[in-house]
Amino acid sequence: MIIKNIKKIVLVFMIIIMIFNINIYAYEDNPIKGINYINDIREKLDIRIIENNKDLEQSAQIHSKYMSINDWYSTIEESGNKYYRGRYSWDRASYYYYFNPYVTEFISNNISNMKEGIIDLINNPYSRIAFLDPLYNHIGMGNYENMYTFDLGGKSRDLTTKNKKITIYPYDNMEDVSISWINNYKIDPYRKLDKQYNNVGLPITLSYYSDKVKIKKIYPQNIILKNKDKNIEIKTEILLPQDDKYIDNSLIILPLEPLSYDTNYEVKINVDFVFKNEDFPSEKNFKDVIKFKTKAKNKLLNRAKFTEYIVKELEFDILEPEEVFTDIDMKSENCKYIYTAYKNRLVSGYGDNTFRPNNNITKEQAYTLLIRYYEQNFGEIDIKDSSKNYSHYLVSDWAIPYIKKAEKIGIITTDKKNSLKKEITESEYEKIINLYNNIYIK
């Protein structure tokens, strides 16, 4: 009898642990979304991907806790305070058994999740230079209350035989580039200018990454940022390493006016590098032309693009595509996302065996897809007590249960004047997915 009771207690304890663990993983801020965002960019630039490191993650997590508990917003810790693990980021990393020689750290306290923090750090020219450096192949992210820490670590740049990598961001043929940015970094890149600049175009960076070669100076021969659609040159300010102690082997092109939505831009770069190394040519010329396009203001999402966004956002493993729909080109970039979503029962086709990838998706379709995924993970949402009625002019009959469930979990507030049958824009999608993430993660 005693043995049976012990077995029962152990079984109940194991079930409690399982439930507790499920809750942890359902609601904690998952770093994978932020890492995927970085790696999408790094792959486009032919830079080795960055991987999550548990030792760096632990170091970042405790530093976030240190900042919150001690009300101390800094990358430097003071001994004697609670959760002190080392004065500098590399000291703290080694405390948690991360012994690679290079560690750098960034912090934030005005974001809602890790991916948002990564986007903010990529948009900022100073931190971007580090996040795109081939030197770093590990990352650890942690947050406690409103404090976030991002630790990068690496051993060597592992570059080509030429031991260099020249990177320009935005990269060539990049689309959906932001027209403006907000500087959340302590160092203001416009600090040396007489005028205050707000709501200006996204900074452009050129970086010369190398383990062997160090740049002494960069001399711009000709740098022009141009609105190609209107053939208008955009006013810029150029920050050089010899004038700005916070950038090394890089230059920053600062637009002095906002960019326009849905517009093609071109940046022509012609510079001379002067190197410190005596065994390297003292000067070398570099030329390049980069084209990019800014995002549309109210761009509508078609079914293919929405499916790609949602598969990436929900972190599905990308499947090798097979032919399912007759109108999907198997050589296209979006076929793998459509097939992955199809196999995970998120999307389906039409009666004629087509997917119609270029058709725009509606708001009610977007909510339906998110609710399907939510219920696959957390079980069915009970809406028996919902007495809300909907006009068929605003919501399709088939979508009403999904809309009620979306309201139940808090990702939608229905406006009677706003038809959910209407097509969804990129900006509307971002608001919806942010709401969903706040609920799903937290």
Side-chain angles (χ1 to χ4, degrees), residues 171-186:
Y171 51 80
D172 194 29
N173 295 318
M174 185 174 177
E175 297 185 348
D176 296 328
V177 174
S178 298
I179 66 161
S180 62
W181 68 297
I182 298 173
N183 181 43
N184 290 322
Y185 204 56
K186 284 187 175 181

Side-chain angles (χ1 to χ4, degrees), residues 93-156:
S94 62
Y95 180 92
Y96 290 103
Y97 305 105
Y98 185 85
F99 297 117
N100 281 346
Y102 299 104
V103 176
T104 191
E105 185 171 82
F106 299 92
I107 56 176
S108 184
N109 65 348
N110 57 356
I111 55 175
S112 58
N113 57 63
M114 291 177 181
K115 182 182 177 182
E116 182 184 324
I118 291 295
I119 293 172
D120 188 55
L121 290 165
I122 293 291
N123 284 341
N124 192 295
Y126 291 110
S127 49
R128 179 198 304 159
I129 292 169
F131 273 86
L132 300 185
D133 192 337
L135 174 67
Y136 301 110
N137 63 323
H138 294 137
I139 189 170
M141 294 181 273
N143 94 280
Y144 187 85
E145 295 182 345
N146 68 324
M147 295 294 185
Y148 287 78
T149 302
F150 304 83
D151 284 343
L152 297 172
K155 184 176 181 180
S156 69

Side-chain angles (χ1 to χ4, degrees), residues 41 79 147 192 206 208 211 217 221 230 296 335 416:
I41 297 171
S79 62
M147 295 294 185
K192 294 184 179 180
L206 179 151
Y208 189 113
D211 278 338
K217 294 182 179 181
Q221 300 300 326
K230 295 183 178 180
C335 69
K416 293 182 179 179

Side-chain angles (χ1 to χ4, degrees), residues 168-212:
I168 301 174
Y169 185 93
Y171 51 80
D172 194 29
N173 295 318
M174 185 174 177
E175 297 185 348
D176 296 328
V177 174
S178 298
I179 66 161
S180 62
W181 68 297
I182 298 173
N183 181 43
N184 290 322
Y185 204 56
K186 284 187 175 181
I187 308 162
D188 181 5
Y190 295 90
R191 65 192 180 279
K192 294 184 179 180
L193 302 182
D194 296 333
K195 182 180 174 182
Q196 290 289 326
Y197 287 92
N198 297 306
N199 193 34
V200 288
L202 189 73
I204 301 164
T205 50
L206 179 151
S207 297
Y208 189 113
Y209 298 116
S210 173
D211 278 338
K212 294 181 179 178

Side-chain angles (χ1 to χ4, degrees), residues 116 371 384:
E116 182 184 324
I371 292 301
K384 291 179 182 178

Side-chain angles (χ1 to χ4, degrees), residues 3 32 133 139 145 192 200 214 269 277 284 291 304 347:
I3 293 175
I32 299 302
D133 192 337
I139 189 170
E145 295 182 345
K192 294 184 179 180
V200 288
K214 302 299 179 184
I269 298 176
N277 310 55
K284 186 172 182 180
K291 298 177 182 178
V347 301

